[in-house]
Each structure stands twice: as C-alpha cells, then as structure tokens.
Amino acid sequence: MGAVSGMADDGRAELGTASSGAEAKDGGFDAALGAAWLTAAADAVAREAERLSMLDAAIGDGDHGTNLKRGFAAVAAKLAEGVPATPGAVLVLTGRQLISTVGGASGPLYGSLLRATGKALGETESADVAALAAAFTAGVEAVAKLGGASVGDKTMIDALSPAVEALRAAAEDGVPTAQALDLAARAAEEGAQETVPLRARKGRASYLGERSEGHEDPGAASTALLLRVLADAAA
Amino acid sequence: MKLVGVVLVSHSEQLAEGLAELVRELGGDQVPVIAAGGMDDGSLGTSYGRIEQAVRQADRGAGVLLLGDLGSALLTVKTLLDEGVEGPDLPKAVLADAPFVEGAVAAVVTASAGGDLEAVRAAAEEARLFRKL
C-alpha cells in the first residue's frame, strides 16, 4: 500500500473541480486514487468478510464475504502488477477481475458496476465530481439492468442509488471531491440501514418472503463499505 | 447438418454434470451438451471462465443455448453475453428463461431434430408451461 499512496501524491497535481478555493489539492478522481481505493478495499473486505457473510447467512447463502474477499484479493494482486493510466481503465480492469473471480452474484453485479462506470469515464485522466457522478450513474444503471432491481427491493441498489444522488447534488453545489465522496458514502450507509425492515424482492433472499425482514441486505452493506473506503482514500 | 449446442450452467459441478448425462441420452450423442458447473476448484459457485470455455466447446457453427439454475448463474451468463468483446469471437449464444431440467430436455430434443437456435430457445422456454401432474 505504501507504493500506491506514494503514487497518489504524484498523480494528483491539477485542479479538477471548479469551486475549490479551500481545496487547493483537489485532483479529482484519477488513476492513483482509483488504485488506492481498490487496494484498500481488498483489506477492508478481508477485514469485514465475516460480518458480510453473517448478514448473507441470515437471508441468503452465506458466501458474500468470502466471495468478495476472493475477488478483491485478485483485484489488488492485478493492480500490484501495474496501474493503468486512466481511472476509467482502472475500474474496467477491476470489473473484469471481479466478474471472473468472485463466483457469486456479487461478481457480475459489482463487475458490471465498475466496468460500466469505467467505460463512462472514457479517456479522462482525472474526473471531477460532476464527471464522476455521471459515470457512476451509468454504472448503477448497468447494475439495475443486469439484476432487474429497483430501489426498495432490498439489494445493493438501495445503497447505490442514494449515493449517486448525493454525488450529483454535491456536483451541483460545487463540493470538492473528498467531501463529495464522504457525502456519497454517508448516503450509502443510510441506504443500507434502511434495507433492514424491507422485504426482499430480488435474489436468493426473495425466496424467504417476510422472513427476510429485519435483516440488513448484505449487498447494500458491502456497497456502503466500499464507498466508505473510497471516501477515506480521497480524504 | 450443424446442430445447436447446449451449455448447462449450475452452481454445482455435479448438478450440471448429472443433467448433462441425463440429456445427452436424448440427443443421441449428436447434440453437443457441455456442463459448466461450480467454480474452478470444484466448489459451489459460477465460473465465468468455465462458462466461456463451455460455450466455445459446445458450438458447432449453429450457435449455443445456455440454461442456468439460479440467480448468479444467470447473472454470470448475462455478463458474458453482454460483454461480447471480452473473449474475441464468442460464438453466437443465447440464454433461455427456462426451468433447468425440463428446459434442457426440451432444448436437446429440439436441437437433435435439427432445430435452429431460435427454435431450440423457444422449446426450452415453452417447457415452463409443462404440467407435471
């Protein structure tokens, strides 16, 4: 991780957002931040794997933590070999790794999220909050299309959707990157908590009907975790 | 005549292999039926790599119909088919919205009779309507 944070300092030279009086070092979302985020995510997911699997065991098949841990370990190993030049390429690479290594539904879902977000970022070297919000919107749309879930179905969409909204609002308000990502993480955390009383309408948990109520959705929980790690990496 | 191939995607290697064994009988060994079950280490889960390889193996030039057992098997197949560009020249392949066992039986019977990919898919999907009793 030392090497990655070292790169982050080199990579974030120029200003990404418009309204950055106080935040002179706001370099936006660049390849170094992306790599720092996803490498730290591997540690965070490994640390939280048991909690995520316990949430999944309550309403699913109990492998969410182990699956994500395997996937993000593969991502971190890939990024350790070399970080692509653009943040979009970092996300596309990560998405592909997750799709081919996770083995559960979260592989295609997170894989599609990151791949679609990465593709939407295009060739930009550093995305400001507005560009990131737009790309992230495309990513969340890809997840919704693949899984067929909407807000309120007790899935990762319940954390992703408010996070995207928060990011869009932050872009309109001219909030700098680090603060915008913190707002997005908070929105995801609240969204994940709000899945507790819901009845699952998608995925394995939907077979449980009303017995799925009273449990936090594991996919929403891991989404909140990953966005918190991103906010921390940008802080 | 080139026959449509069938790929059976399951979380369980044994479930996919067992179903393949069952339906190969019906295809008279002419229809390529490939099982893509479990993870690369044989544990429960779905492997993108195994599915991709199975699609290539099952194709004889007439395309491939995929059937899956549960949620993430279907999501993994959809991700593979959506990608398109990921594996160079992935054979023409479609995913059926069909029950795993009955759909596989209907698909293989139709494929063995020389049905094209659309006919094989339709047969698998119609299997949803079969009553057992």
Side-chain angles (χ1 to χ4, degrees):
Chain A
M1 287 256 291
V4 172
S5 16
M7 273 184 312
D9 293 330
D10 298 334
R12 294 184 220 166
E14 55 195 307
L15 276 173
T17 53
S19 70
S20 56
E23 298 282 325
K25 281 172 67 182
D26 190 347
F29 182 77
D30 59 13
L33 175 54
W37 166 35
L38 295 159
T39 306
D43 291 336
V45 167
R47 200 173 59 236
E48 300 280 336
E50 201 174 332
R51 178 175 72 89
L52 295 172
S53 285
M54 295 271 281
L55 290 174
D56 192 25
I59 57 172
D61 52 4
D63 61 4
H64 189 52
T66 0
N67 283 345
L68 278 190
K69 183 177 163 182
R70 176 174 51 238
F72 276 94
V75 168
K78 196 81 185 169
L79 290 172
E81 290 171 14
V83 176
T86 63
V90 170
L91 297 189
V92 169
L93 176 77
T94 300
R96 287 189 179 145
Q97 278 295 101
L98 292 177
I99 289 166
S100 55
T101 57
V102 167
S106 50
L109 291 168
Y110 277 122
S112 297
L113 171 70
L114 293 175
R115 209 170 56 178
T117 304
K119 282 181 182 166
L121 284 174
E123 297 300 311
T124 183
E125 289 189 5
S126 175
D128 62 15
V129 177
L132 187 57
F136 194 33
T137 301
V140 175
E141 280 167 3
V143 174
K145 179 168 169 270
L146 178 64
S150 316
V151 170
D153 285 346
K154 199 180 183 94
T155 70
M156 59 197 285
I157 292 290
D158 290 318
L160 286 171
S161 186
V164 168
E165 288 302 327
L167 214 48
R168 274 197 226 128
E172 278 177 26
D173 296 344
V175 172
T177 306
Q179 197 185 331
L181 290 172
D182 180 56
L183 291 168
R186 277 187 213 191
E189 284 156 359
E190 282 166 22
Q193 279 308 310
E194 284 167 12
T195 64
V196 173
L198 298 176
R199 182 180 304 190
R201 287 199 290 255
K202 285 284 166 189
R204 196 79 50 93
S206 61
Y207 294 122
L208 291 173
E210 65 183 25
R211 280 179 293 141
S212 65
E213 294 169 13
H215 301 278
E216 184 181 359
D217 178 67
S222 59
T223 295
L225 172 67
L226 291 169
L227 290 176
R228 175 50 62 198
V229 175
L230 172 55
D232 288 348
Chain B
M1 182 171 43
K2 289 170 180 170
L3 300 186
V4 170
V6 176
V7 168
L8 305 172
V9 183
S10 169
H11 285 64
S12 156
E13 191 168 23
Q14 291 188 60
L15 180 55
E17 292 290 352
L19 182 57
E21 183 189 3
L22 179 69
V23 299
R24 272 183 200 129
E25 292 274 308
L26 306 166
D29 288 341
Q30 299 300 305
V31 179
V33 179
I34 310 292
M39 301 281 288
D40 294 340
D41 63 0
S43 61
L44 293 178
T46 44
S47 158
Y48 185 90
R50 279 190 173 190
I51 299 167
E52 184 187 352
Q53 203 186 347
V55 169
R56 295 184 192 288
Q57 230 178 314
D59 184 50
R60 299 284 185 275
V64 176
L65 185 80
L66 294 109
L67 291 120
D69 62 353
L70 291 172
S72 63
L74 300 166
L75 291 184
T76 306
V77 172
K78 280 165 85 177
T79 311
L80 173 71
L81 300 184
D82 278 353
E83 180 62 14
V85 296
E86 185 78 356
D89 304 328
L90 193 70
K92 184 165 173 49
V94 293
L95 173 63
D97 182 3
F100 199 42
V101 176
E102 288 85 345
V105 169
V108 170
V109 168
T110 308
S112 70
D116 65 11
L117 185 55
E118 218 18 76
V120 173
R121 186 230 289 255
E125 297 193 342
E126 279 164 22
R128 270 184 301 182
L129 307 174
F130 291 170
R131 295 285 303 269
K132 288 196 180 181
L133 290 176

